[in-house]
Amino acid sequence: MSSAAPAVSASARLRGLKPDWMSDPRIWRTEVLAGLVVALALIPEAISFSVIAGVDPAIGLFASFTMAVTIAVVGGRRAMISAATGAVALVIAPVNREHGFGYLVATVILAGVFQIVLGALGVARLMRFVPRSVMTGFVNALAILIFMAQVPEMYDVPWPVYPLMAGGLALMVFFPRVTRVVPAPLVSIIVLTVITVAAGIAVPTVGDKGELPSSLPVPGLPDVPFTLDTLTTVAPYALAMALVGLMESLMTAKLVDDITDTHSSKTRESIGQGVANIVTGFFGGMGGCAMIGQTMINVKVSGARTRVSTFLAGAFLMVLCVVFGPVVSDIPMAALVAVMVMVSVGTFDWHSIAPGTLRRMPAGEITVMVITVAVVVATSNLAIGVVVGSITAMVVFARRVARLADVTAVTDPDGTSVVYSVTGELFFASSNELVGRFDYANDPDRVVIDLSAAHIWDASSVAALDAVETKYAQRGKKVEITGLNTPSADLRERLTGEVTTGH
């Protein structure tokens, strides 16, 4: 009896080492079905992005396959989908157009190298400086872009497309009330496909987007001369692709962190994106990054939470193309459009534009959110919108903090000295007004500037204090600066007399 106890304990310990998806059939089922739904949604997207990049549709599909599988293996953010994307396609399209496909592949590989280097250098830590208002604008802009990408599929199409889309949306709204065992988007895709095929309804299908590949990709080197000239040609495009890819991937990872209430390593994600792009390049793919729309399908709609769904999305994609190509080609685009419209509605942060929220929210925060949305929608580039939004947020913050700096004067009753109390944060924005807050002509000969309630942040503030001292000295008056905290005193000691001001 006692001898069996250690065996049972060891078995329990072994079970404890297994990931949840290996020991829980429900998680396994969720991940598998989520991967299948994402794979179906990836096909028309990858083909569309191939058209943007000016390459054969198979190139985009290969890239989606290798990106998803590789990032799942090397350890990207759990449940996040990486594949060929429109942002990356826009960056590398000029390379293919002006220099040829070999240079495009070389660009993808070099971009992967850049991403690994940037990840190792800690560029992911910059995500801490993205404000919540920018994140909200990013999410809302994403939802708008997802919806706008579906508009061409709703315009100038046969009339049966509209009832099919309506039916697909109705299925996704009401089917979860019956059961959540099977993802509603998958049910919608299957039902609409069966209806169109059985009834012989002529509507645009996945097959109309382009020919699906009939074999797996094979590895190889890019067909370019390995010279310094080639490197200088592709390097600017590769760096741009690396930055855009990292920005979208890290923002998506942060979004998934918030949705799932879990943490992920942004450095690991950055390096993983680089490895995935290098592998994709050697397999002749067009590269990519995190796909926000498909990630929302995987995480928010289908409920996936592990890398299994990411891996299977890539694996199913190739199986669907190579083995079930004729069947997949018959899927009506109306079914996939309905899925993406549902994703856009679910992604938009409706609370952020509720009248009650807008009344309570500071005007600066609303401005930052609106500017982020406007720039993203205008440029169709999430990375540009995030950068502009973050810069706007910094300007708003600087203006707000600058107004907190204040100067008050108290003159001794005997009139021999005056004490100026400075409060707040002194930096380039607030220190610009500091020089004009003193009465140089009428103050007594002894002036005390008390900075015990202030902090000096930069050279502009040191220069402003130097200017104040100079103006008093020109009138034969002595200035004494007191109350500096240690960091402020150190900064002033280092820079005083070394910087100039325009005052």
Side-chain angles (χ1 to χ4, degrees), residues 104-447:
L104 182 148
V105 172
T107 301
V108 172
I109 295 172
L110 184 58
V113 174
F114 282 149
Q115 287 178 330
I116 292 174
V117 173
L118 290 170
L121 291 175
V123 71
R125 286 195 289 270
L126 294 175
M127 290 301 297
R128 292 179 299 175
F129 298 101
V130 177
R132 187 183 182 281
S133 52
V134 174
M135 190 69 189
T136 303
F138 168 84
V139 170
N140 291 344
L142 159 66
I144 294 170
L145 287 183
I146 292 174
F147 181 83
M148 288 174 61
Q150 312 314 310
V151 172
E153 303 298 335
M154 307 177 198
Y155 178 72
D156 195 23
V157 292
W159 70 265
V161 167
Y162 302 110
L164 285 172
M165 284 178 51
L169 289 169
L171 275 171
M172 284 182 283
V173 170
F174 296 109
F175 187 79
R177 300 182 184 182
V178 179
T179 179
R180 292 183 178 272
V181 173
V182 182
L186 180 60
V187 174
S188 177
I189 292 169
I190 292 173
V191 169
L192 295 190
T193 303
V194 170
I195 289 174
T196 54
V197 172
I201 302 173
V203 291
T205 64
V206 171
D208 296 331
K209 288 289 181 181
E211 188 177 349
L212 302 182
S214 57
S215 61
L216 294 173
V218 293
L221 294 174
D223 183 19
V224 294
F226 292 89
T227 62
L228 183 60
D229 184 58
T230 299
L231 181 63
T232 55
T233 299
V234 302
Y237 297 102
L239 181 59
M241 174 183 161
L243 293 172
V244 168
L246 282 183
M247 179 71 76
E248 293 217 17
S249 299
L250 295 177
M251 289 295 289
T252 306
K254 191 173 186 300
L255 180 59
V256 177
D257 289 351
D258 293 341
I259 292 172
T260 61
D261 198 23
T262 57
H263 175 72
S264 62
S265 170
K266 305 304 181 292
T267 297
R268 184 176 181 179
E269 179 62 42
S270 302
I271 295 172
Q273 288 290 329
V275 173
N277 271 307
I278 291 173
V279 171
T280 298
F282 281 120
F283 274 90
M286 56 181 274
C289 60
M291 285 198 83
I292 306 170
Q294 272 63 24
T295 297
M296 290 299 99
I297 293 175
N298 198 45
V299 174
K300 207 165 186 179
V301 179
S302 301
R305 292 294 182 270
T306 77
R307 295 187 186 94
V308 174
S309 57
T310 307
F311 179 89
L312 290 178
F316 283 149
L317 175 64
M318 275 296 97
V319 171
L320 289 169
C321 291
V322 175
V323 180
F324 299 103
V327 177
V328 173
S329 295
D330 287 335
I331 295 175
M333 284 302 300
L336 298 177
V337 169
V339 171
M340 297 309 294
V341 168
M342 198 71 180
V343 169
S344 70
V345 172
T347 300
F348 196 93
D349 186 353
W350 298 100
H351 176 71
S352 67
I353 61 170
T357 303
L358 295 176
R359 280 196 301 269
R360 292 190 298 270
M361 193 73 68
E365 302 280 314
I366 297 173
T367 301
V368 170
M369 180 182 72
V370 170
I371 287 176
T372 302
V373 172
V375 173
V376 170
V377 173
T379 63
S380 297
N381 191 315
L382 292 160
I384 294 175
V386 170
V387 171
V388 173
S390 297
I391 292 172
T392 305
M394 291 176 189
V395 172
V396 170
F397 174 76
R399 287 175 58 85
R400 187 182 302 163
V401 175
R403 288 198 296 268
L404 298 178
D406 194 23
V407 180
T408 56
V410 177
T411 305
D412 277 358
D414 58 7
T416 59
S417 66
V418 61
V419 177
Y420 284 94
S421 295
V422 181
T423 60
E425 309 299 320
L426 299 182
F427 64 111
F428 62 89
S430 58
S431 63
N432 283 336
E433 298 180 1
L434 185 65
V435 179
R437 302 294 296 274
F438 298 86
D439 190 356
Y440 303 100
N442 300 316
D443 279 342
D445 291 343
R446 182 173 178 268
V447 179

